[in-house]
Amino acid sequence: MEVGAEGFARLLPRLRRRIRRAAFVALDTEFTGLYSTFPQSSEPSLFDSPVERYLKIKQSVQRFTVTQLGLAIFSKENSNKYVVHSYNFFLFPSMLGVRDVEFTLSASSIQFLSHYGFDYNKFLKDGIPYMNEVQEKIFRQHLLAGSWTFCSTSAANRDVLRKVIDEVTCWIAVAEEEETMILQDLSDYHVLEVQLVLRQALQNVWTEPLGNKKVMVKKVSPQHRQLLENSSCDPCQMELILLSARGFTNLFQILVEAKKPLVGHNMLMDLMHLHDKFYKPLPESYEEFKRNIHNLFPVIIDTKTITKSMKKNYLFPRVSSLSEVYAVLCSSSLNPKDPLWPVIALASDCSRYAEKESPHEAGYDAFLCGSVLLMSAHLLLCRSTEDSVEAHPSFSQYLTVLAEHVNQVNFIRGGVSSINFSGEDAPCHRPPALVVHVQGWPGLNERQIYQEFKGLCHFDVRRLSKNQFILLSNKYKHVRLVLRDYKHHPHLPVSVYRHWRHSPRVNCLLQVSGIVALWSLLAFVLGGAPSCSL
């Protein structure tokens, strides 16, 4: 089901009920860009520690925005059947505020989403507004001071507002007090917006929504207007305005309050956008970010972490994308004819994905993600018991066999394999680093070293000293291959990196220690000579 600003408010109570009854919720997001190229050093690298990667992604999250958020709500009906309500929410930063919102578009990301049929008109024209706590606090202060402004999302919106103001201004010039007129055919989004704009522009009007996309406008005296504004029945009270301006943030808070397990795939960037867009601007501290996310969502499960583990232990085929993982788990080789195998059924009002695959559509990917979780958990449960599973497993049983993966979010090509959101990150276990010693080819840079080795295999490169470079790979076979072919190379001999031998800091310390030792020896010899003659 696709959801935009126009129908979101009506759907919110139903979403609240479904999330409260859910076993878990799966999530996926699409962005206007992934990794910022400014500065160039912000690109991910195998050399990155979790802190360094967090700071890099933080720059990207602040530059780009969320275009679409997919939510798949998995509810266990009976026995082994899970019913899924999957939604596509088109999002757009709230325009009710005091500052316009700026964000960046990445050409490659826009082209990628366009290739898969992403509807940018819905994103731009019907995106659900949102704001984080800091933005809401500023907006609330300006509402109280009566100094809020509206930045229209499109020329079409401006035309609607201009037409309404012109129509009401012409009418009110000849109307008598207490006369009314009806504005019709307004969208749900415009019903509040039109009232706010009219009340701010004209001091002798009052407005009330009539339902069915209509607004009543009444000519009143300033004294009567003041009485109506102080009434508890005013449909444009500050809390209602805030409710509208916060938009999708209302649903985010429902998710936070429900504390249901939150499932994603390669979800570090998803979590950072959730924090930045709907909670608070990302903190400078990596550890503070982890604590905040854990407080918001105590149970996080990344299906990428699960399937990586299964590849090592269960002869899982080498596949990378979420759709490929889903296809493998649905195949006959890994999906035996097990009567207890989880049955996953799309709800009748969200059934489009049962008929057609929609890769890289957020709601579809969220549906795949939750399905992968259930099927993976069932396989792990079956293989963790000596006897076959005799009764329909509960979701809590699935969580038990997934315990080692809970709150472990995949870390793509970096210094650790995963980020632990409920404790310290585990140390990295990866192939040893290599050192390239440049001999007879002066002036080589990192890019040239990379070009030299990329034909053989992929490494990340970093300069170690004037004539030395470090190579890092995440594959042992690549390390063995380079050592075999370059160990005795005449110009670029390669060896395994040894900290005590190759670290510039260690070498500097040894040099300083050597100088100190030499001066000490000289001082001893020169200072001790007279005493020896005595």
Side-chain angles (χ1 to χ4, degrees):
M1 179 183 292
E2 292 188 343
V3 185
E6 187 168 342
F8 177 72
R10 291 196 306 272
L11 187 63
L12 196 58
R14 192 188 313 169
L15 288 166
R16 179 184 287 106
R17 291 192 299 271
R18 285 177 176 168
I19 289 170
R20 286 175 176 173
R21 293 198 302 262
F24 67 95
V25 176
L27 174 139
D28 181 72
T29 48
E30 301 295 339
F31 320 114
T32 58
L34 292 177
Y35 298 109
S36 175
T37 56
F38 303 101
Q40 191 173 9
S41 59
S42 65
E43 295 178 359
S45 164
L46 284 168
F47 291 95
D48 292 344
S49 68
V51 173
E52 290 169 332
R53 179 67 60 80
Y54 169 75
L55 293 175
K56 286 182 177 182
I57 298 180
K58 179 174 177 284
Q59 290 181 332
S60 297
V61 168
Q62 290 169 337
R63 291 177 63 89
F64 300 117
T65 195
V66 179
T67 59
Q68 191 181 65
L69 189 145
L71 208 62
I73 304 169
F74 283 72
S75 303
K76 197 167 192 281
E77 280 210 338
N78 51 56
S79 61
N80 60 337
K81 182 179 180 182
Y82 289 82
V83 175
V84 189
H85 291 86
S86 196
Y87 301 90
N88 262 322
F89 298 99
F90 288 90
L91 304 182
F92 198 86
S94 181
M95 292 290 98
L96 282 171
V98 293
R99 278 180 55 188
D100 202 357
V101 178
E102 295 181 356
F103 57 83
T104 301
L105 302 177
S106 162
S108 59
S109 295
I110 298 302
Q111 188 177 52
F112 176 83
L113 290 177
S114 296
H115 174 75
Y116 286 99
F118 183 81
D119 191 337
Y120 281 97
N121 279 327
K122 289 184 179 178
F123 160 61
L124 295 170
K125 294 182 178 180
D126 195 31
I128 304 165
Y130 59 85
M131 56 174 59
N132 61 35
E133 289 182 5
V134 173
Q135 293 166 328
E136 180 182 343
K137 182 179 179 180
I138 295 171
F139 181 46
R140 185 186 291 269
Q141 290 171 348
H142 284 270
L143 271 178
L144 288 169
S147 59
W148 68 276
T149 59
F150 180 82
C151 305
S152 189
T153 56
S154 66
N157 271 352
R158 289 195 295 272
D159 289 343
V160 169
L161 294 177
R162 191 179 296 114
K163 180 182 177 183
V164 165
I165 291 174
D166 289 346
E167 186 178 349
V168 173
T169 301
C170 292
W171 167 78
I172 207 167
V174 296
E176 299 289 335
E177 280 192 14
E178 300 301 314
E179 280 191 40
T180 63
M181 69 175 295
I182 307 297
L183 301 174
Q184 304 191 51
D185 299 325
L186 300 171
S187 69
D188 289 349
Y189 186 63
H190 283 137
V191 165
L192 176 63
E193 181 185 330
V194 161
Q195 293 184 80
L196 294 175
V197 170
L198 285 174
R199 289 188 187 190
Q200 190 175 53
L202 303 167
Q203 296 302 309
N204 57 342
V205 301
W206 185 248
T207 62
E208 289 183 14
L210 296 181
N212 198 24
K213 301 181 180 181
K214 296 179 182 179
V215 169
M216 183 271 290
V217 181
K218 178 189 286 188
K219 184 174 182 179
V220 295
S221 66
Q223 295 79 13
H224 190 193
R225 161 80 176 257
Q226 190 172 7
L227 289 172
L228 291 169
E229 284 178 343
N230 294 327
S231 167
S232 60
C233 300
D234 181 8
C236 290
Q237 292 176 43
M238 186 174 72
E239 291 305 320
L240 293 176
I241 297 171
L242 279 169
L243 191 71
S244 178
R246 289 168 65 235
F248 189 84
T249 306
N250 297 304
L251 181 56
F252 172 79
Q253 291 189 339
I254 290 171
L255 288 170
V256 170
E257 291 164 5
K259 294 290 186 278
K260 299 293 180 178
L262 185 68
V263 180
H265 189 81
N266 260 338
M267 61 190 304
L268 176 59
M269 190 167 285
D270 299 303
L271 293 172
M272 291 182 70
H273 272 285
L274 288 181
H275 190 298
D276 188 70
K277 302 301 187 290
F278 313 121
Y279 178 51
K280 294 178 181 177
L282 287 167
E284 287 299 319
S285 166
Y286 164 71
E287 293 298 335
E288 183 182 347
F289 161 70
K290 289 206 306 179
R291 286 194 301 271
N292 289 348
I293 289 294
H294 187 57
N295 289 334
L296 294 170
F297 304 107
V299 179
I300 296 171
I301 307 175
D302 190 334
T303 52
K304 181 67 175 182
T305 303
I306 298 170
T307 53
K308 274 172 63 177
S309 174
M310 292 179 71
K311 288 176 189 177
K312 298 175 183 176
N313 303 320
Y314 296 99
L315 300 177
F316 200 88
R318 286 195 172 277
V319 291
S320 57
S321 72
L322 177 61
S323 57
E324 289 174 334
V325 172
Y326 176 75
V328 166
L329 287 167
C330 290
S331 67
S332 57
S333 59
L334 281 178
N335 179 4
K337 293 184 178 179
D338 180 358
L340 304 179
W341 187 260
V343 175
I344 301 167
L346 281 155
S348 58
D349 57 348
C350 306
S351 60
R352 179 162 61 90
Y353 297 146
E355 303 160 2
K356 181 185 176 183
E357 295 181 355
S358 302
H360 302 292
E361 187 171 283
Y364 180 73
D365 283 355
F367 159 68
L368 293 189
C369 192
S371 302
V372 165
L373 174 81
L374 288 173
M375 292 186 284
S376 300
H378 190 80
L379 280 176
L380 292 172
L381 180 63
C382 290
R383 299 189 184 193
S384 68
T385 56
E386 294 181 1
D387 302 320
S388 60
V389 179
E390 296 181 357
H392 293 295
S394 65
F395 186 70
S396 61
Q397 286 178 277
Y398 286 157
L399 283 179
T400 300
V401 296
L402 292 169
E404 66 178 290
H405 305 296
V406 170
N407 294 327
Q408 303 293 322
V409 170
N410 187 52
F411 192 73
I412 303 172
R413 297 185 71 251
V416 296
S417 60
S418 62
I419 291 175
N420 182 5
F421 277 86
S422 53
E424 293 185 6
D425 298 329
C428 179
H429 299 286
R430 65 180 179 193
L434 302 179
V435 178
V436 181
H437 306 266
V438 180
Q439 299 174 357
W441 285 355
L444 286 185
N445 58 32
E446 292 175 349
R447 190 68 190 169
Q448 290 168 316
I449 294 292
Y450 174 80
Q451 292 295 331
E452 170 71 23
F453 288 95
K454 81 168 188 177
L456 191 64
C457 47
H458 183 67
F459 280 84
D460 282 359
V461 182
R462 178 174 289 180
R463 183 182 289 276
L464 180 63
S465 64
K466 181 179 179 181
N467 294 314
Q468 290 182 322
F469 296 85
I470 294 182
L471 303 182
L472 272 185
S473 174
N474 55 4
K475 297 184 183 296
Y476 281 91
K477 65 178 182 180
H478 290 174
V479 170
R480 290 192 294 267
L481 192 62
V482 167
L483 281 174
R484 184 196 70 189
D485 292 359
Y486 280 82
K487 188 172 184 178
H488 302 292
H489 193 280
H491 301 291
L492 299 171
V494 175
S495 62
V496 175
Y497 176 83
R498 306 293 183 194
H499 183 71
W500 59 268
R501 180 181 176 188
H502 297 115
S503 170
R505 291 183 180 179
V506 173
N507 286 332
C508 181
L509 182 62
L510 290 174
Q511 289 174 11
V512 170
S513 300
I515 292 170
V516 171
L518 179 59
W519 276 106
S520 299
L521 180 61
L522 286 172
F524 174 77
V525 171
L526 296 176
S531 62
C532 290
S533 63
L534 290 175

